[in-house]
Amino acid sequence: MYLTKLHRIKRTFGVSMLLAATFFCQSCNSFLDVDVRHAASENQQWQTFEDTRAALMGVYGLMRSALAENNSYWAYGELRMGDFTVYNSNDLKAVVNNELRNPQTYLEELSDWRRFYAVINAASVFIEKAPQTVELDKAYSEANLKYDIAQVRLLRAFSYFYMVRIWGDVPLLTQSYDNGLFKEFPRTDAQTVLNYAKEEILDAIVDLPFEYGTETSKYYNQVANYWRGLLLNKLSAYTILAHISAWEGNYSNAATYAGYVISHASDMKADYIDVKDLTSPQGLFSMETKFNGYKIVSFNFPYEHFEATQSGHIEQLTLAAPFVQKSYPEIYVSKDSLFSIFDDLADTRFGINASANDKYYTNYINDLNAEIPLFTKIKVVQDGKGEDSDYAVFGSSIIFSRLEEITLLRAEALAALNRGTEAIADYNTVRSNRGLPLRTFKYFEADCHKLLAAIFDERRKELMGEGWRWFDLIRRERLLNDNPVMRELIEREGIYWPIASEVLSANKSLTQNKYWE
């Protein structure tokens, strides 16, 4: 059976937490094929190695589901006031136009944070319950426990960071609520939540490895090659810290953390990727083994474990015939936008291919002559090898960060610190891999504001379709102060999403975000 089943599991905690819809396999014996309901069950026995394994992978499954459900990852990060045009969907048009209080079910579901609290609660249950398994099953060692708890602490911290970027102030829960205490919690100041997330990550980093499992010391009976790109590790933690710091405007820490990731990338087999492998159906976004280490922070849908799905992937929104049986995509980047964004014809992402009779590169766009050009940068239909367009399931990973992304983040941080020469070096690292000429600091007339604008332009091109545009626009405006519309949204807290009415009704201690009252 190829299609996974979507299970919506609801529980009511103090903030009406929801065990978000998530996917699990029915028939395969792989480590990844576990019922993620174990992740949040205090009734689980916590007796054996297999119990902790199921619970750990369940937390990952809930995190993946929180990002994928309703295509949230792209609605939050890519569509809102972004570069994509909506073909024919009032729901998506409302997101693009920042009309987030429109009375539409889709917007209400996107405004619901309970699926992220499902991750947080499951992580807390794991931290509280897993230690008892060490005493009950000798196969579950103290070292195994340290790795596991470090990972779920990181997932919990990442959930909080993600929610703060979307809603601002959110309730801070630091223990599980499967114990019958149905308290109502008010919102906690966003900076307090971020401080907690940072502390959790810094504590977890000590126990996180660069890679899991060796031939002599396997992790859940598997070696590093199996886990690479599937689990969060030490560099994943430093990457998330770098982004929290950048969001806070603490660019000194952001540069330090990002620098650590770049200098230790080889420790997890990460490297810069050429544009062909970035955009190939069997490239970075697929589960092709040789690229798994390149995924510094990612959440995967491995087809070989029957976890490819129809929803939760950008391909559901961007692809149409001949890739899938659909006449038009839901969203696309217009020709006018393409020519405006990609302003150098040498750009291999979208530029002129001189070796192919001066035709445009098709790395990001399938057919420029079509009425609506398809955005095909990410196109992992099935496992990336499938030729049957009738069978539209997708196996692409949600990649939060890769080496190009964290390199451009460090460039941003260095430029913000007026360390222009160093920033240019990182900026050029990405440009040179995309066929573009190197630039010198002189090009920017010793103006770090001009350099910052260029770095954000490069992020716009390199990370298109990867869920970064909206959050980059916010950080850009905080630094450059040159977009009155975005400035007003920041000042009035309109950058945050409204809170779902169901959440407000269930918890009278909560208040709506002021901009959306």
Side-chain angles (χ1 to χ4, degrees):
M1 185 175 185
Y2 291 101
L3 287 176
T4 58
K5 288 187 176 180
L6 183 63
H7 293 259
R8 186 177 299 274
I9 311 157
K10 294 185 178 179
R11 299 191 59 143
T12 304
F13 302 114
V15 289
S16 300
M17 292 180 246
L18 174 66
L19 291 187
T22 190
F23 306 102
F24 66 89
C25 171
Q26 300 183 59
S27 60
C28 192
N29 291 323
S30 162
F31 182 98
L32 295 174
D33 301 319
V34 296
D35 185 337
V36 299
R37 287 173 295 181
H38 290 300
S41 174
E42 192 176 64
N43 296 324
Q44 183 184 339
Q45 295 301 307
W46 300 97
Q47 300 284 317
T48 69
F49 179 93
E50 288 76 16
D51 287 337
T52 58
R53 180 179 67 182
L56 173 66
M57 296 315 297
V59 182
Y60 275 99
L62 288 169
M63 187 73 249
R64 182 181 70 177
S65 181
L67 298 173
E69 187 179 1
N70 295 311
N71 290 312
S72 299
Y73 188 77
W74 295 277
Y76 295 142
E78 198 67 49
L79 297 186
R80 193 176 175 190
M81 297 174 64
D83 292 324
F84 283 87
T85 298
V86 177
Y87 176 70
N88 187 21
S89 168
N90 289 332
D91 291 346
L92 297 178
K93 285 179 181 177
V95 176
V96 170
N97 296 330
N98 202 38
E99 298 168 352
L100 306 183
R101 288 301 300 273
N102 276 12
Q104 297 174 30
T105 300
Y106 180 65
L107 295 177
E108 175 73 5
E109 290 174 346
L110 288 172
S111 299
D112 192 334
W113 61 33
R114 288 176 293 183
R115 61 193 183 280
F116 290 98
Y117 279 103
V119 181
I120 290 164
N121 192 68
S124 296
V125 170
F126 191 101
I127 292 166
E128 294 161 16
K129 297 294 183 180
Q132 71 189 42
T133 310
V134 175
E135 298 179 4
L136 298 174
D137 187 349
K138 292 181 180 179
Y140 191 56
S141 67
E142 288 283 358
N144 210 143
L145 176 66
K146 284 201 307 182
Y147 284 166
D148 292 354
I149 287 182
Q151 287 174 77
V152 297
R153 291 180 78 179
L154 181 55
L155 286 164
R156 184 169 64 180
F158 181 66
S159 296
Y160 274 124
F161 168 54
Y162 212 86
M163 285 198 297
V164 164
R165 293 197 307 172
I166 299 167
W167 288 283
D169 299 344
V170 297
L172 177 62
L173 311 181
T174 60
Q175 65 185 68
S176 73
Y177 286 86
D178 273 6
N179 55 12
L181 297 178
F182 302 110
K183 296 170 61 178
E184 293 185 352
F185 291 87
R187 296 166 72 186
T188 304
D189 174 73
Q191 188 58 57
T192 300
V193 177
L194 290 181
N195 288 343
Y196 171 77
K198 288 185 295 184
E199 291 169 4
E200 283 287 284
I201 297 171
L202 287 169
D203 284 346
I205 277 177
V206 177
D207 293 328
L208 285 168
F210 290 107
E211 293 200 306
Y212 295 88
T214 65
E215 291 293 343
T216 57
S217 180
K218 294 181 179 179
Y219 179 65
Y220 283 120
N221 295 325
Q222 299 289 347
V223 296
N225 191 53
Y226 182 89
W227 296 118
R228 200 169 289 135
L230 294 177
L231 304 181
L232 301 181
N233 56 34
K234 192 178 292 290
L235 294 192
S236 308
Y238 277 112
T239 296
I240 296 168
L241 277 174
H243 274 288
I244 294 175
S245 298
W247 187 254
E248 295 174 317
N250 185 343
Y251 280 108
S252 178
N253 280 354
T256 299
Y257 294 139
Y260 184 92
V261 175
I262 294 165
S263 62
H264 289 83
S266 62
D267 292 329
M268 64 170 287
K269 306 299 186 291
D271 204 349
Y272 297 102
I273 193 164
D274 65 47
V275 73
K276 288 293 186 183
D277 288 330
L278 173 67
T279 61
S280 167
Q282 298 175 49
L284 179 67
F285 288 90
S286 74
M287 288 300 295
E288 181 66 32
T289 303
K290 67 179 179 179
F291 299 119
N292 281 346
Y294 291 46
K295 303 172 185 178
I296 298 175
V297 179
S298 74
F299 301 91
N300 305 295
F301 296 77
Y303 181 84
E304 66 269 27
H305 299 308
F306 309 107
E307 296 187 31
T309 58
Q310 288 182 306
S311 62
H313 305 265
I314 195 171
E315 294 98 320
Q316 182 190 17
L317 303 176
T318 56
L319 295 188
F323 297 92
V324 296
Q325 292 298 316
K326 188 165 62 173
S327 298
Y328 297 99
E330 302 292 329
I331 61 174
Y332 63 97
V333 184
S334 71
K335 296 177 185 179
D336 286 345
S337 293
L338 287 167
F339 289 121
S340 173
I341 296 167
F342 294 92
D343 53 359
D344 192 320
L345 293 179
D347 199 320
T348 56
R349 294 164 295 200
F350 181 76
I352 294 291
N353 187 350
S355 63
N357 298 320
D358 291 337
K359 293 182 179 179
Y360 273 87
Y361 285 106
T362 57
N363 291 313
Y364 274 24
I365 303 298
N366 179 56
D367 183 2
L368 194 61
N369 294 318
E371 175 189 358
I372 294 178
L374 298 183
F375 180 76
T376 55
K377 173 185 177 181
I378 304 171
K379 46 183 179 295
V380 186
V381 181
Q382 299 172 39
D383 59 353
K385 303 172 186 175
E387 299 295 332
D388 181 6
S389 61
D390 290 332
Y391 181 43
V393 297
F394 310 106
S396 59
S397 301
I398 294 175
I399 299 181
F400 177 81
S401 186
R402 52 187 170 90
L403 198 51
E404 289 83 2
E405 188 282 318
I406 198 68
T407 299
L408 288 171
L409 183 73
R410 186 173 69 168
E412 172 191 335
L414 292 170
L417 296 168
N418 290 312
R419 293 162 61 181
T421 302
E422 296 167 85
I424 283 282
D426 284 340
Y427 169 72
N428 279 331
T429 294
V430 176
R431 283 177 57 85
S432 62
N433 289 337
R434 302 297 176 246
L436 299 174
L438 301 182
R439 287 177 171 170
T440 65
F441 191 59
K442 184 178 180 181
Y443 175 87
F444 297 99
E445 300 174 351
D447 184 348
C448 276
H449 279 74
K450 187 176 180 180
L451 173 56
L452 275 166
I455 291 167
F456 279 107
D457 285 347
E458 197 59 37
R459 286 183 63 89
R460 185 182 190 182
K461 299 169 190 173
E462 179 65 23
L463 303 174
M464 181 177 283
E466 297 184 40
W468 280 109
R469 182 61 181 155
W470 170 251
F471 302 116
D472 282 1
L473 284 172
I474 295 170
R475 294 200 318 281
R476 183 189 186 282
E477 179 58 22
R478 287 170 172 169
L479 288 167
L480 296 180
N481 194 20
D482 62 357
N483 182 334
V485 173
M486 185 58 67
R487 173 53 50 183
E488 182 181 6
L489 286 174
I490 291 172
E491 291 175 351
R492 296 180 58 196
E493 298 187 354
I495 58 173
Y496 302 119
W497 276 71
I499 302 170
S501 57
E502 281 191 15
V503 174
L504 293 171
S505 297
N507 183 353
K508 301 306 181 183
S509 296
L510 298 175
T511 57
Q512 181 62 274
N513 276 322
K514 292 181 180 179
Y515 186 85
W516 301 107
E517 288 177 346

